[in-house]
Amino acid sequence: MKNALVLRGLPLLLSAFAFSSCAIAEPLDFNKPTNEPSSSKEPTPSSVSSEEEPVHKEVLFVGNSFTYFNDCDQVVQSIGRDLGLDISCSAVTEGAQHLIDTASSSDPVGKRLDEALKKKYTHIVLQEHSTTPVTNYGNFLSGVKQILTKIEATQDKPKVYLYATWSYESFANSRNLSIPESELLLRKAYHDVATATNTMVSDVGKAFSYVYSNYPSINLYHTDNKHPCFTGTYLSASVQAATMFGLDVRKTTFLGSGAEQGNGTKTKQSVEEATAVTLREVAYKTAHSLI
C-alpha cells in the first residue's frame, strides 16, 4: 500500500471479456490540422535546468482509477529519478471520482484533497472522470476552476496540468466512432478547459491513439478494455514526465516496478525493452508536439 496521502478507491468490478484487436483499417494522420482540437495551450516541455524553478519537484496527482491503476504517479517518479530528477510524487484518488466532487470540502475525497494541499507542490495534475469532458463539459470546467481556487489559496503558484486521458471501446461505440476519433473529442475538451483556466495539458490520450493506430500489436488496455494495463500506464507516465519536466524519456532504463491493481494488491510488472523503446519515442514526440 502507498503512504497515507495516496487514497485508493474501492475494488472495481472488472469485466471478464478479453481485450480485442487494436487493428484499424488505416492509421490516422495526427498531423492533419483538421483533426487537431483548437487550443492556444499546446503543452511545451519545461526545462529541467531552469534556475527559476525549485530543484526538488513535488508533484500531486488528483484523479480516479485512471491514475491509481498501476500507480501512475509512482511510475512518473521512477522515470524521473532514473533520469536524475529530484522528484517525489503522491496522489489523491478514488474510483469513478469527478473533479467537481473532489472540489467540495464536504466530499470525502475533497476533504482528503484539502489535507493534501497543506503541503506545498511544484506541480499538480488534475485528471477528470473518463467521459465527463465530453458528456458534461460544464461540470468539468467548473470542477477545474474550483480546485484551482483552492490551489491559489494554499500553494505558491505550482504548475497545473490537466491529464488528458484516452478513449476506449464502450465510449467509442456509444458515439459510433472509432477509439481515436472519440479520443479527439476528449482531447479538444481538455485543451478548451486548459485555455479557459490558463493551465497546461499532458496529452496522454493523443499518445494512446497514436500507438493504437500505428502499433496495433501493443496493447495498452486492461482486460476490461477501459483502464490501462501496465504498458498503458508506462506510456502515460512517460508522456507526463516528458511534458512536465522536459525530460528525454527515450533515455530512461526504467521498465517497471510493483504496481497497484485496484484491489489493494501489488504485483511485479514491467514492459519489454522493445515495447518500451517504442512507447518512450511516442511519449517524447507527443510532449514535443511532433505527432
Side-chain angles (χ1 to χ4, degrees):
M1 297 292 293
K2 299 174 61 179
N3 58 48
L5 181 60
V6 182
L7 304 168
R8 300 303 181 202
L10 296 175
L12 299 176
L13 180 61
L14 300 177
S15 60
F17 55 87
F19 177 77
S20 60
S21 171
C22 291
I24 60 176
E26 293 182 6
L28 297 183
D29 181 355
F30 286 91
N31 292 314
K32 290 182 179 178
T34 55
N35 283 345
E36 289 292 339
S38 58
S39 171
S40 61
K41 295 296 294 182
E42 287 295 334
T44 301
S46 58
S47 173
V48 175
S49 62
S50 173
E51 296 181 357
E52 297 179 358
E53 295 184 5
V55 173
H56 176 71
K57 311 300 181 184
E58 193 71 41
V59 187
L60 176 66
F61 286 78
V62 180
N64 57 39
S65 56
F66 276 26
T67 292
Y68 78 64
F69 253 57
N70 309 307
D71 290 337
C72 186
D73 59 303
Q74 295 303 295
V75 180
V76 171
Q77 177 178 286
S78 295
I79 292 172
R81 290 181 177 178
D82 182 63
L83 293 173
L85 188 67
D86 181 4
I87 180 174
S88 295
C89 297
S90 54
V92 173
T93 59
E94 183 73 26
Q97 188 75 3
H98 298 254
L99 290 178
I100 196 167
D101 296 324
T102 303
S104 172
S105 295
S106 63
D107 182 87
V109 184
K111 292 178 181 178
R112 297 165 187 168
L113 176 60
D114 289 348
E115 185 65 25
L117 289 176
K118 292 179 181 179
K119 185 175 182 178
K120 300 298 183 183
Y121 302 93
T122 59
H123 298 73
I124 296 178
V125 182
L126 306 180
Q127 178 249 311
E128 181 58 281
H129 183 272
S130 62
T131 61
T132 295
V134 172
T135 61
N136 199 330
Y137 178 84
N139 274 5
F140 176 30
L141 177 60
S142 180
V144 171
K145 285 183 174 180
Q146 290 178 44
I147 292 178
L148 285 175
T149 297
K150 289 189 173 187
I151 291 172
E152 290 167 1
T154 60
Q155 302 294 306
D156 298 327
K157 297 182 178 180
K159 292 185 176 182
V160 179
Y161 286 82
L162 305 183
Y163 172 1
T165 56
W166 51 90
S167 184
Y168 48 89
E169 187 174 48
S170 60
F171 176 62
N173 289 345
S174 72
R175 299 269 161 173
N176 293 316
L177 297 171
S178 69
I179 287 177
E181 288 169 342
S182 54
E183 181 270 320
L184 281 171
L185 300 179
L186 293 166
R187 195 192 317 168
K188 183 181 187 304
Y190 270 98
H191 279 265
D192 286 349
V193 168
T195 298
T197 59
N198 196 32
T199 54
M200 293 168 282
V201 179
S202 287
D203 267 319
V204 174
K206 182 178 183 179
F208 262 63
S209 288
Y210 190 85
V211 171
Y212 183 98
S213 301
N214 294 279
Y215 302 96
S217 64
I218 298 179
N219 173 34
L220 302 174
Y221 295 88
H222 187 70
T223 54
D224 65 355
N225 289 342
K226 177 178 179 179
H227 291 88
C229 62
F230 186 77
T231 303
T233 295
Y234 187 88
L235 175 61
S236 170
S238 297
V239 171
Q240 296 189 70
T243 300
M244 288 192 286
F245 308 112
L247 295 175
D248 188 346
V249 294
R250 297 172 299 180
K251 297 179 180 180
T252 183
T253 60
F254 175 77
L255 295 175
S257 64
E260 175 68 49
Q261 292 302 291
N263 59 2
T265 63
K266 290 180 181 289
T267 59
K268 181 70 175 179
Q269 295 194 88
S270 63
V271 179
E272 292 184 359
E273 177 64 31
T275 298
V277 169
T278 297
L279 298 181
R280 295 193 297 252
E281 182 71 22
V282 171
Y284 176 85
K285 289 181 176 180
T286 299
H288 289 272
S289 301
L290 299 177
I291 58 173

